[in-house]
Amino acid sequence: MTELLAERGHVFALTGAALIALGFYGFMAQRAVIRRLISFNVIGSGVFLLFGGTGYSAAGVDPVPQALIITGIVVALALTAFAAALAVRLAQGGDRDDGTDDGEAGP
Amino acid sequence: MSAAMLVPILLVLAPLVPALASALLSGRARARNAINIAFAAFKLGVVAYALAGVEAGAFYEWRIAFVPGLDMVLRLDALALLFVTLSAVLWMATTLYAIAYLKGSAHQARFFAFFNLCVVAASGIAMSGSLITFFVFYEILTLATWPLVVHTGSAKAMAAGRTYLAYTLAGSAALLAGIVWLESGSGPVEFAAGADLSAFSPLAASMIFVLLIGGLGAKTALIPLHAWLPAAMAAPAPVSALLHAVAVVKAGAFGVVRVIYDVYGIETVAALGLGLPLAALASATILYGSLQALRQSDIKKRLAYSTVSQVSYIVLGASLAGPFAVIGGLVHLVHQGLMKITLFFGAGVLAERAGVTDIRQLDGVGRRMPVTMAAFSIAALGMIGVPPVAGFVSKWYLAIGGYQSGASWVIAVLIVSSLLNAAYFLPLLYRAWLKPAAPGLPDRNALAASRTWLLIAPGAFTAAAALGAGLFAGFELSPLSWAALIAERIYLP
Amino acid sequence: MNLLFALAGAPLAFLLASLIAGRHGARLIWIAAPVITALAFWLALETHARPQGGALGGWMPPLGIALEADGLGAVLLLTCALTASVTGLFALGRYGGARPESARRYTFWPLFYGLWAGMNAVLVSRDLFNLYVAIELLSICAVALAAFGSRQAAVNYMMIALAGSLAYLLGAVLIYAALGTLDMSLIAQRAPEARASVLIAAALITGGLMAKTALFPLHGWLPPAHGAAPTAVSALLSALVVKASFVILARVWFEGLPGLAGAGVITAFGVLGAAAIVYGSVLAITQTGLKALIAYSTVAQLGYLFLVFPLAGGGESATPWTAGAWGAMGFHLSAHMLAKAGLFLAAGLMIYGAGGGRIADLTGLARAMPVTSLAFGLCAVSLMGLPPSGGFMAKYLMLIAALASGQWHYALVILAGGLMAAAYLFKPLARLFAGTGTPAIRALPHRSMALAPLVLGAAAIALGLLSAEPYALMVSGLPEAGEAGLEEAEP
């Protein structure tokens, strides 16, 4: 049982590392904002998987990484949603929306 | 807070109040002028109180820590008081003059705010008891003077401002480098104790000295760092008066005195062999400034080069390091201030009322504007060294000091310099008094309309003071006696 | 309720409140500014006696959240509160209730409070993961605010911020894998056990944080983002946001991994910092736009912070004070917060008044906008490191540390940096005084707006005059390596 856990930990960690590498390639190779954003998400998933993998050991499963991964996923979700929205606005509205908003409102 | 702590604070804060008030009371000239004069008078009162105290052997000190062990120290010793008294007296005179000079012109609020800030800085420099305090006020002076130099906003003034900043900020960097180098080995330096140079090799100590003097030399206008001073003539006349007599160049010269006597100490300077090269540099500046002054036909420019030359007398006295030379140098700090401010007051009145800015326009001015030109003439004669005006006393003591220190060539420098002084001042007096009036000169009636006693009286007063300082040099509390007191305390601790 | 949690939580509470209050949300700053500043002041007083700490709900780490404030943290919390308060009040002039209706009147305030909460959380956290969450909150608000100016610059900023965050997170994960903890003090105890893997993790963390701090050569995103943003946003980004990642970086090396940094690492920080000073200053001198100039000045000024790595522990024997370089870092962080925010606010007012953002447009403004010009001048004095100002205290202490430890080259860079700062800051200052006429200006939405930069400038100056108390606080409870130097410290 305990060996199995440690084994699983290695699998998670190695998969995580592979995902990080894949995502990093995507980040370097792609220029489009959305594609880079997806690359970031792939890297993020890899980091979380790696993190989860470190919690597995012969002594049992450490709950701390799992608790932190949940938090991390929430943060990553929020960031991705915001980044996607920003990318969409950039594509639709241009660099800035002069005159429509607060240009004359004040310094 | 005891009186001993209160005095230095009051002396620094006295000009700060009108600085702030001037900035706030931008539309109300009368209130502003009243506050300016009131606080200048108040400061004179505090100075009188302190003079009595210091002469009796008291000293006043106030300190506050920047970081543990590094203190801002304001300390009134005899040397500090010499400079404070000069600045307080001339501040009063210049304030009155500036009120009359700038009447009706634009942006007086800003002018008086920075003008008073300069006086704050000068008082702080005078009373600095530690190197860091000195540097703080020295830089406040740099910053507060710049808006005055560029006050008119003309292209010429802006260019002068750039030159001024280039020289003074580079000088400040050198000074700061010297200070931190020194303090990184000796700990914070206070003037009362002097610097502990044991951590430095003689070469390092000499290099630090060069950095310090080089940094101070930029304000003192030692050659080759003098070019900003003639350029700064673009400023209004009261500013020039202040720059040349009390604030900027004097701050540099005063710093040189402090470095030689209270940081290194005369024995160390002599042991390192640094006094003589500095004396030589000062002598070269004296001669060079006079030669350049000869070539200028603009009155203010001629006066500016004269300042380059005259301020170096102070440095010369300090670097010769004999009792008499010290007295000569220190007393010149006061005498040059009184005489030069008179000259600039006069030049300002000439330009403002008669439109005279060039020497060739001076013909016959003396009889049209007798009080102004009389004051101007007394100061000019003093600069040449004609007894009994104050300048003679300075030169006399410097010459004896040079002889005492075994540097008899100083006497030759003084003689040549005095001849050059005569060569560039006497033609002015000749034209003003003995030549017939030039056709372009306004006549008596036209001049009468622009006559205000506030513009004329300060110059007359400072000229009288310069004359009095020479005539009554032997009296107690004369600048000479005070300088002798300081020298006594340096040499007989 | 523990003071530290109150400080981290109060801006979050105002974030929610501003969302609920809708179009009245702007007015909350009148409550938030005094309340949070008072809390920070109270914390500074408490920290003066002893370092503060606490765990949320009594749950201890690793599962609970523990917060800590040392002297440096307390000083920065207070400076940050002051800067954010003044900037927030200033922002009423553009996003206040009396301004014309706009979407940004609603979105500015939650983002503002979120940014403030992120700053406070970074300053009191000592756990790598908590720091991650805090700096993500900070980054997302910062990017969103930067998008107020230029979306393209915001996207570029976001890419760097995301990449930096992921590198940081990966480093934190590796540290956990190697040492089984994310707490700074525990890391410091266990780090020598797994030196090699910790160093790899530290490299990732450092790289990520350097990108977020915009240390040369990773600074490219900063000038467009800071230069294009609206006034209040530029001030927040330049004064506060970049400092947060630097503080984490300093804490990681000085508290978490003392003794692990070899000479090579330390020199690398020093060289990059020096390069940032020179490069940022040169580019600032060449700018023709006022805000671009100030933004490049930030690139240069951030370089000074990295000099603390080589200078810490620099020959304290000759001086009566200890930890000069650490104090210099504290002064530089606080003084730059105040002065840079003030400079951006003053610049914004002048650009609005003059109707143009080039330096040449400022001609004669000292006559038309005297208060704003004075504020600009005061902030500039501190940035140039001229006395009396907090910037000067930083420079002086840094110079002494450099010379006392025989590192002349850094002293030369610092002095040259000061002169170059004067060169680029006197360019706009000279324009303010130039010309003989009084230019006509557009009236400000509210006259008292000019007081905001004046308060910040005066505070930057006061920091240099009344420096004894702030210094004592900055060095109270400092990490051992901050006093002894990174290399000398026992791991």
Side-chain angles (χ1 to χ4, degrees):
Chain A
M1 179 62 193
T2 52
E3 278 104 53
L4 188 66
L5 275 178
E7 183 91 350
R8 200 181 285 167
H10 286 307
V11 173
F12 285 154
L14 290 175
T15 316
L19 279 175
I20 293 173
L22 195 63
F24 190 69
Y25 169 77
F27 178 62
M28 285 295 153
Q30 301 294 337
R31 289 284 112 193
V33 174
I34 293 290
R35 283 167 192 258
R36 292 183 116 185
L37 195 58
I38 293 170
S39 307
F40 276 128
N41 269 278
V42 174
I43 300 178
S45 307
V47 173
F48 291 136
L49 210 51
L50 179 68
F51 200 7
T54 63
Y56 287 82
S57 68
V61 179
D62 181 357
V64 172
Q66 298 181 1
L68 298 184
I69 287 169
I70 296 284
T71 321
I73 287 175
V74 174
V75 171
L77 175 73
L79 271 176
T80 310
F82 165 70
L86 183 59
V88 169
R89 287 296 295 272
L90 178 66
Q92 286 177 344
D95 189 36
R96 51 172 78 214
D97 32 24
D98 276 332
T100 59
D101 210 344
D102 61 350
E104 293 295 301
Chain B
M1 195 184 279
S2 67
M5 289 159 76
L6 204 58
V7 169
I9 288 291
L10 284 179
L11 286 175
V12 168
L13 291 188
L16 195 60
V17 178
L20 295 175
S22 300
L24 294 174
L25 298 169
S26 61
R28 301 167 59 190
R30 287 181 74 89
R32 185 188 61 229
N33 293 344
I35 290 176
N36 272 288
I37 295 170
F39 276 88
F42 171 70
K43 186 173 172 182
L44 279 173
V46 179
V47 166
Y49 172 81
L51 270 173
V54 170
E55 205 207 5
F59 72 90
Y60 303 100
E61 187 182 276
W62 176 84
R63 59 172 68 219
I64 180 175
F66 281 123
V67 299
L70 181 70
D71 288 353
M72 173 187 268
V73 187
L74 291 176
R75 194 172 186 279
L76 257 183
D77 55 14
L79 177 56
L81 202 53
L82 184 77
F83 195 14
V84 169
T85 312
L86 175 75
S87 76
V89 172
L90 296 191
W91 179 35
M92 181 55 130
T94 315
T95 301
L96 296 174
Y97 182 78
I99 288 172
Y101 186 89
L102 292 174
K103 193 167 185 199
S105 77
H107 316 302
Q108 292 185 50
R110 189 174 87 197
F111 176 88
F112 278 101
F114 285 112
F115 174 77
N116 283 311
L117 206 53
C118 280
V119 183
V120 172
S123 317
I125 288 170
M127 289 187 289
S128 296
S130 64
L131 263 182
I132 179 103
T133 319
F134 180 84
F135 186 73
V136 166
F137 284 105
Y138 192 78
E139 286 304 280
I140 296 179
L141 183 62
T142 309
L143 294 170
T145 312
W146 179 74
L148 297 176
V149 173
V150 301
H151 183 73
T152 59
S154 64
K156 205 174 147 203
M158 299 314 296
R162 258 197 310 280
T163 315
Y164 171 75
L165 279 181
Y167 278 88
T168 50
L169 286 179
S172 301
L175 181 61
L176 181 62
I179 291 175
V180 289
W181 190 358
L182 181 60
E183 298 197 340
S184 71
S186 73
V189 175
E190 293 204 6
F191 293 148
D196 170 20
L197 291 168
S198 54
F200 297 100
S201 67
L203 178 66
S206 305
M207 283 169 71
I208 295 172
F209 188 82
V210 169
L211 278 173
L212 293 173
I213 299 294
L216 294 163
K219 276 216 178 65
T220 320
L222 285 176
I223 53 169
L225 305 171
H226 62 281
W228 65 270
L229 189 56
M233 286 302 91
V239 177
S240 306
L242 192 78
L243 241 64
H244 285 256
V246 210
V248 179
V249 287
K250 279 300 164 56
F254 185 78
V256 172
V257 174
R258 280 289 193 205
V259 166
I260 293 176
Y261 290 100
D262 293 335
V263 176
Y264 273 67
I266 29 178
E267 293 88 1
T268 317
V269 173
L272 292 170
L274 296 165
L276 207 59
L278 185 57
L281 181 65
S283 303
T285 309
I286 290 172
L287 296 178
Y288 174 84
S290 300
L291 283 170
Q292 283 294 323
L294 261 180
R295 300 176 37 188
Q296 310 297 327
S297 67
D298 184 282
I299 298 175
K300 281 180 86 179
K301 277 235 164 100
R302 185 169 282 204
L303 292 180
Y305 276 107
S306 155
T307 303
V308 171
S309 158
Q310 294 276 337
V311 169
S312 279
Y313 282 35
I314 304 167
V315 179
L316 178 65
S319 54
L320 283 174
F324 277 80
V326 175
I327 295 173
L330 289 178
V331 80
H332 202 57
L333 191 84
V334 178
H335 290 168
Q336 190 268 354
L338 292 172
M339 296 183 296
K340 190 43 71 66
I341 207 164
T342 313
L343 291 171
F344 272 105
F345 284 163
V349 175
L350 288 176
E352 196 65 11
R353 292 182 57 207
V356 173
T357 57
D358 195 277
I359 287 161
R360 287 174 295 248
Q361 298 170 295
L362 268 174
D363 294 3
V365 167
R367 268 159 295 170
R368 300 277 166 89
M369 302 164 78
V371 181
T372 302
M373 273 320 288
F376 191 93
S377 306
I378 290 174
L381 292 172
M383 283 292 181
I384 301 168
V386 176
V389 191
F392 165 74
V393 179
S394 320
K395 290 190 179 178
W396 181 250
Y397 274 82
L398 278 173
I400 298 179
Y403 178 72
Q404 255 189 349
S405 315
S408 305
W409 51 269
V410 168
I411 300 172
V413 169
L414 289 170
I415 291 172
V416 173
S417 154
S418 297
L419 288 176
L420 289 169
N421 294 159
Y424 66 76
F425 272 128
L426 288 181
L428 271 66
L429 307 188
Y430 170 73
R431 279 176 183 271
W433 294 109
L434 301 176
K435 277 216 170 185
L441 205 64
D443 61 18
R444 249 166 218 286
N445 298 332
L447 283 171
S450 65
R451 187 185 300 137
T452 51
W453 68 269
L454 216 49
L455 206 53
I456 300 167
F461 165 73
T462 49
L467 194 58
L471 273 176
F472 304 110
F475 278 68
E476 207 183 346
L477 284 182
S478 76
L480 180 66
S481 314
W482 199 262
L485 179 77
I486 298 167
E488 202 175 285
R489 287 182 184 173
I490 289 174
Y491 285 92
L492 307 166
Chain C
M1 184 69 185
N2 186 298
L3 205 50
L4 294 168
F5 287 96
L7 264 169
L12 282 177
F14 282 105
L15 189 164
L16 286 176
S18 68
L19 282 173
I20 295 165
R23 66 192 191 85
H24 300 295
R27 290 189 199 150
L28 284 169
I29 187 69
W30 290 109
I31 308 169
V35 166
I36 303 179
T37 309
L39 283 173
F41 191 70
W42 187 11
L43 178 76
L45 291 179
E46 294 280 319
T47 313
H48 211 38
R50 63 195 160 76
Q52 300 290 303
L56 185 61
W59 287 77
M60 294 310 287
L63 280 178
I65 295 176
L67 301 183
E68 249 179 84
D70 56 2
L72 182 70
V75 169
L76 293 181
L77 279 166
L78 183 55
T79 324
C80 170
L82 191 63
T83 312
S85 297
V86 173
T87 312
L89 291 170
F90 177 92
L92 284 175
R94 185 162 186 172
Y95 306 115
R99 309 309 312 153
E101 190 72 19
S102 75
R104 288 183 182 170
R105 261 182 54 191
Y106 295 86
T107 46
F108 175 81
W109 297 102
L111 292 171
F112 168 74
Y113 290 116
L115 187 145
W116 199 345
M119 274 307 292
N120 283 3
V122 164
L123 291 172
V124 295
S125 297
R126 286 297 188 289
D127 174 290
L128 290 184
F129 194 79
N130 287 348
L131 285 168
Y132 168 73
V133 175
I135 199 154
E136 286 303 282
L137 173 62
L138 184 65
S139 295
I140 196 170
C141 295
V143 172
L145 285 171
F148 279 26
S150 157
R151 292 205 188 100
Q152 187 59 55
V155 166
N156 293 346
Y157 178 17
M158 183 179 69
M159 289 298 163
I160 287 282
L162 278 176
S165 300
L166 285 175
Y168 172 87
L169 186 63
L170 188 56
V173 166
L174 291 183
I175 286 204
Y176 189 82
L179 306 176
T181 182
L182 290 168
D183 182 80
M184 290 268 190
S185 53
L186 290 177
I187 291 173
Q189 286 172 20
R190 298 182 194 168
E193 297 165 14
R195 214 183 154 90
S197 42
V198 168
L199 274 178
I200 294 173
L204 281 166
I205 290 178
T206 305
L209 292 174
M210 269 166 43
K212 280 179 178 266
T213 315
L215 175 65
F216 177 86
L218 300 173
H219 63 280
W221 61 269
L222 186 146
H226 290 193
T231 304
V233 174
S234 299
L236 293 171
L237 295 182
S238 226
L240 303 182
V241 178
V242 285
K243 306 292 190 321
S245 39
F246 174 80
V247 169
I248 300 177
L249 188 61
R251 288 209 193 285
V252 165
W253 283 103
F254 280 93
E255 288 181 28
L257 308 168
L260 239 72
V265 175
I266 295 173
T267 311
F269 277 126
V271 167
L272 287 180
I277 295 173
V278 175
Y279 179 84
S281 303
V282 168
L283 276 178
I285 291 174
T286 60
Q287 297 303 312
T288 52
L290 181 58
K291 289 188 78 172
L293 184 152
I294 304 175
Y296 272 106
S297 145
T298 300
V299 173
Q301 298 282 329
L302 289 170
Y304 287 97
L305 292 172
F306 286 85
L307 296 185
V308 73
F309 289 91
L311 296 186
E316 315 292 2
S317 56
T319 54
W321 58 86
T322 57
W326 188 263
M329 179 183 76
F331 273 114
H332 195 76
L333 281 167
S334 340
H336 188 256
M337 272 188 195
L338 297 167
K340 188 48 68 72
L343 208 59
F344 262 123
L345 295 189
L349 288 176
M350 295 194 294
I351 290 169
Y352 183 80
R358 288 173 305 131
I359 293 170
D361 295 328
L362 304 178
T363 305
L365 273 191
R367 288 179 279 275
M369 305 175 83
V371 180
T372 312
S373 303
L374 175 65
F376 191 91
L378 292 178
C379 296
V381 166
S382 180
L383 283 184
M384 291 181 234
L386 292 178
S389 69
F392 170 69
M393 286 316 297
K395 191 158 111 177
Y396 176 85
L397 291 170
M398 247 183 246
L399 281 170
I400 293 270
L403 287 171
S405 57
Q407 304 183 72
W408 306 91
H409 40 287
Y410 292 125
L412 286 178
V413 171
I414 294 168
L415 284 170
L419 283 178
M420 286 195 280
Y424 62 73
L425 285 168
F426 266 106
K427 255 173 66 177
L429 275 173
R431 286 326 296 167
L432 293 178
F433 283 92
T436 45
T438 303
I441 58 158
R442 179 155 54 158
L444 299 179
H446 201 289
R447 278 188 58 181
S448 57
M449 283 180 91
L451 291 178
L454 190 64
V455 168
L456 292 172
I461 298 292
L463 187 63
L465 279 174
L466 309 167
S467 51
E469 286 299 304
Y471 177 84
L473 195 52
M474 280 168 202
V475 298
S476 73
L478 86 168
E480 195 194 328
E483 192 165 334
L486 267 180
E487 261 188 300
E488 276 73 20
E490 282 299 310

